[in-house]
Amino acid sequence: MAHGSGDFDGEFMAVAAADVRPTDVVLNPARYVSDPTALPGGMIDIFRPADPARACEGCDAGPGEPCGAGCLGLAALDDATGYGFADVG
């Protein structure tokens, strides 16, 4: 199920782990996943950018590159979802 994204150019949604794309942002906490097959099974809360080929405005990541853990864009997604930003190993 997709939800409106407010100020973000994309959609918040829950998808099966097998449907997560490398350009999606997995939430709780917000992060990019280099290997979607490593995610646990079941439904995963994500933010899917409308145009993943565009560079991130919150950090120096280029088009299609994952953002760094301290990316302001990822922190803003966490704020929007209410999960809270945290470092991920």
Side-chain angles (χ1 to χ4, degrees), residues 14-75:
V15 299
D19 295 328
V20 174
R21 301 172 184 170
T23 53
D24 291 338
V25 177
V26 175
L27 303 172
N28 193 19
R31 67 215 183 268
Y32 284 88
V33 177
S34 57
D35 182 9
T37 62
L39 291 170
M43 298 300 287
I44 306 284
D45 291 330
I46 65 164
F47 174 77
R48 181 162 288 164
D51 183 6
R54 194 170 15 164
C56 177
E57 296 176 12
C59 68
D60 294 329
E65 294 178 345
C67 296
C71 175
L72 295 176
L74 294 181

